[in-house]
Every structure is written in C-alpha cells, then in structure tokens.
Amino acid sequence: MRPAALLDGLAALTGWPADGLLVGNGSNELLHATILASAAVGGRVLTVQPSFPLYDRLCRLLGAELVGVPLDARLAFDSDLIRREIARTEPSLVVICNPNNPTGSVIAPDGLEAILDDYKGIVLVDEAYYEFSDGSFRAFLDRHDNLLLLRTFSKAMSLAGIRVGYLLGAPTLVGEISKAKLPFTLNLLSC
Ligand SMILES: Cc1ncc(COP(=O)(O)O)c(C=O)c1O
C-alpha cells in the first residue's frame, strides 16, 4: 500500500513533490532507514554532542561509527568546527538536530549553507522540533540535493501515539533510502 492520501497531503503542506517524500512509523524508523542505507557496517555518521541519543544507538546497532562534534561552551553549533571534522573524518552522513534535543540550540542558516556547499555526502536535518523555532530549512531543499529533512507528528502536533514521521529530499535520494525501509509499516488508521 502506498499511502497516497497522506503523501498528497504532505506534498501540499510542504510544497514538495510526493515522490520526494517518505513516510514512516515515526521519524525513528526513517532515521534507522537513512543510517542503514548510508553508513551501515563500517560507515561513519557525524553529529554534534550532546544530541538525540537515538543517533548513537542506531549507529551501534548498524555497525556505523559515530563521530561526535561538541557544541561550543555556550551550547551553540560551531559550524566551522563541524566542517573541519567533516573534512578530517569523511563521514557518509551528517545529522544536525535543529533545534537540537536536548539543548534547544539552533544552527545559523549560513553555517548550514557552508556545510552543504563543502560536503557532498548526505546531510539530514532532524526537524522534530522545528515548529518551536523560527522556522524550517525547507527552502534549502530547492538548491541542495544532498539535504534531507526529517519531521514528525509526535511533538508540536502531540500525536506521538499515531507514529507518523516523514522525510523530505531529492526524489532519487529518497528512493534509495526507501529501499532500506520495510514496506507497509504505516497502518491505515494512522494514515
Ligand atoms: C530529535 C528527535 N528526533 C526524532 C524523534 C523521534 O520521534 P518519533 O519517532 O516519535 O517521530 C525524537 C523523539 O523524541 C526526537 O527528539
């Protein structure tokens, strides 16, 4: 079953084509599929620390190495340090939680743009809490085909129990990640 009505609704909500959308049983499932497709067994995932602990747990489970770049002394993203660590460690996936769980830190748009300009691997911005911030990086999708945005109905919508998350990105990239996700994991009632 392709959840056509849900995909069409999300396409209308986001202004992004339905073939560049992947829905999952919570955004957790889409994180799992993204790490499985991009870094499992011997790959590297770079993120900041502290951040959402599931990134580390999934890396351990899937045989990927997690590279943790510290936030600065004021708990802000240091995008220059992130870029240097990307160049040094050559990860296949960079995960930026924005706003960051658990610190609420927000990455500066020009900092994220500089990361996306330099780095040709996949950058996933976890926007689980974007509704509580000044906005989303949705506009960046139009010019960066290595960017993925991850969103959920669990936080601002208070619908964690229905287990619906979604991933936005270039259709070819999202198509590859969908191969690492089991089919039919969303049930009809949630859709
Ligand atoms: C930053 C972040 N991303 C993703 C998730 C996963 O949420 P869900 O699987 O309910 O969509 C959470 C939940 O706590 C979170 O804090």
Side-chain angles (χ1 to χ4, degrees), residues 24-31 51-55 97-102 126-129 150-155 159-161 163-166:
N25 190 286
S27 56
N28 280 346
E29 185 184 36
L30 300 169
L31 275 170
S51 195
F52 182 37
L54 188 72
Y55 308 146
C97 185
N98 192 74
N100 187 44
N101 171 5
D126 184 343
E127 293 197 332
Y129 300 96
L150 181 66
R151 292 185 178 172
T152 179
F153 284 83
S154 295
K155 310 298 178 186
L159 291 170
R163 309 306 304 137
V164 178
Y166 59 103

Side-chain angles (χ1 to χ4, degrees), residues 109-143:
D110 57 349
L112 182 67
E113 188 95 60
I115 292 169
L116 286 161
D117 284 342
D118 279 5
Y119 174 61
K120 298 302 163 221
I122 303 168
V123 177
L124 181 146
V125 177
D126 184 343
E127 293 197 332
Y129 300 96
Y130 88 92
E131 294 96 336
F132 301 100
S133 72
D134 285 340
S136 156
F137 284 107
R138 161 64 188 84
F140 281 37
L141 280 178
D142 298 328
R143 51 181 191 274

Side-chain angles (χ1 to χ4, degrees), residues 167-185:
L167 190 69
L168 300 133
T172 45
L173 177 57
V174 168
E176 290 304 310
I177 290 165
S178 74
K179 294 176 187 170
K181 181 193 156 294
L182 288 175
F184 316 126
T185 54

